[in-house]
Amino acid sequence: MAAKYIFVTGGVTSSLGKGIISASLAKLLQARGFSVTIQKFDPYINIDPGTLNPYEHGECFVTEDGAETDLDLGHYERFLNVPTSQANNVTTGRIYHHVITQEREGAYLGKTVQVIPHITDEIKRRMLLLGESGEFDIVITEIGGCVGDIESLPFIEAVRQLRWELGVNETCVIHLTLVPYLKAAGELKTKPTQHSVRDLSEAGVQPDILVCRSEYHIPTDLRKKIALFCNVKQNSVIESIDAETIYDVPLLMRKEKLDERVIAKLKLPQRNEPELESWKEFLGRLKNPTAEVNIGLVGKYVELPDAYKSIVESFVHAGAANECKVNIKWFQSENISDENVAGLLQGMDGVLVAPGFGERGFKGKLEAIRYVRESGIPFLGICLGMQCAAVEFARNVLGLEGAASTEMDPNTPYPVIDMMEDQKNITQMGGTMRLGAYTCELKKGSKAFSIYGKSKISERHRHRYEFNNKYLADYEKAGMMATGINPETGLVEVIELQNHPWFVAAQYHPELKSTVLNPHPLFVKFVKAAMNYTKSKK
């Protein structure tokens, strides 16, 4: 059968959870035996989020094929357990860039290039791309931003045209809105939803299903009212109440029959009831922990937890795998110093030093690593965290005073972390790092090998700077071993300390591959090490 298309739009306010609703619906359809993928269309003019500050847009998620994408793609992968790619995230910037490049090459034969049809045609082409690959029964397209924003109008117009072109049972539009509760009046209000649907209808798109976010249950009479004013069937007004965890949402949507409404609208063949046993088992372990650990997360964007979204979710997966509640304690690395580090970190059962770019907070990360190295607290370093571990060891164990990464100090006498040769002449910032999946070989007998249980692994990267192999022999002599190496380049991927209970750091980003059904082994074993450390303190 030809692929069917679901479009998810949002209104009233941003951050209502379109990504989670899209991922939950996809999970339910996948659990019924359909092959599903999700794509995100973002209305900003950046080509991709790679150059955005995490405070602007949360973390930048990297796919297997090296695309820097929106953090919602992380949700898609964590829920569906299927990798996404470059094609799953498209921005206005990418659309315009493509059309303008075509125009410069003479592709439009002297025509006036306009938003309609040229921009909307390119949006439609990209919306259909994954569906035409023949791999998927259903393609869910999440449209970023809010209905009524100037920048999302071309996307809504493209949806209008596609609905017309594809036919009545080939597409389904789900509109996510807010039903706020007014304390003073003591009631839920439907007016924002009515206005939002009116805006969408004025743009020529009538939603088929409304998903109403609310802090309270929406009674039948209110659902009737919403259905009447918004031109949707009453059983297509779906309540989405605040959940204890995002992983509850597929089950809540199942209870509200969202998947059944979609199947009816798209006239899909009735497949079996959703197979959600393993999902329920995961939730059971997540909600009934038998142990508890405190993990310190040291980073420079800690004021916005979304900046480390994949790491936070990896701890949820790893905690459930260990039947252990992981409490993340956030530490702003700029505030850590030689004087206060012991006071801050002594109650931790494990410390993770997070990825990041730039010099801000670098010294605090070094202090945190020195403290956990000397105290025997389990440590996991990721990307810049691994580079910091190498710099700290060089300064405080190898005695190389002033050792640094050339990112922080271009004139360091000991560049233990240096830029790769092929990166030195790059002038453009966007999309030019070492990105995407690379293989790594783990040394037999190492901690890394025992964590993964195999010698050949593939992990995702996002960085410019590497461990400088000139210093490798000195490190290994002093007890810091390179236990993961990229076979093509000989670059160091994993380092670990010999005389320490659990000290592992990786140049890659393991958090990008952790999913509900496949928690990442590095996080699982790190949480286990933290549990053992807690027991040893008693």
Side-chain angles (χ1 to χ4, degrees), residues 293-312:
V293 294
N294 294 319
I295 303 279
L297 194 152
V298 178
K300 67 173 189 176
Y301 305 114
V302 295
E303 293 82 1
L304 182 76
D306 264 6
Y308 301 113
K309 191 70 187 160
S310 294
I311 292 175
V312 173

Side-chain angles (χ1 to χ4, degrees), residues 36-71:
V36 190
T37 189
I38 320 179
Q39 50 189 5
K40 171 87 187 269
F41 278 57
D42 267 314
Y44 51 74
I45 294 177
N46 304 60
I47 298 275
D48 60 43
T51 52
L52 284 174
N53 184 319
Y55 282 135
E56 289 271 330
H57 211 70
E59 79 170 1
C60 172
F61 187 82
V62 179
T63 57
E64 287 284 292
D65 61 353
E68 293 176 292
T69 67
D70 185 80
L71 64 78

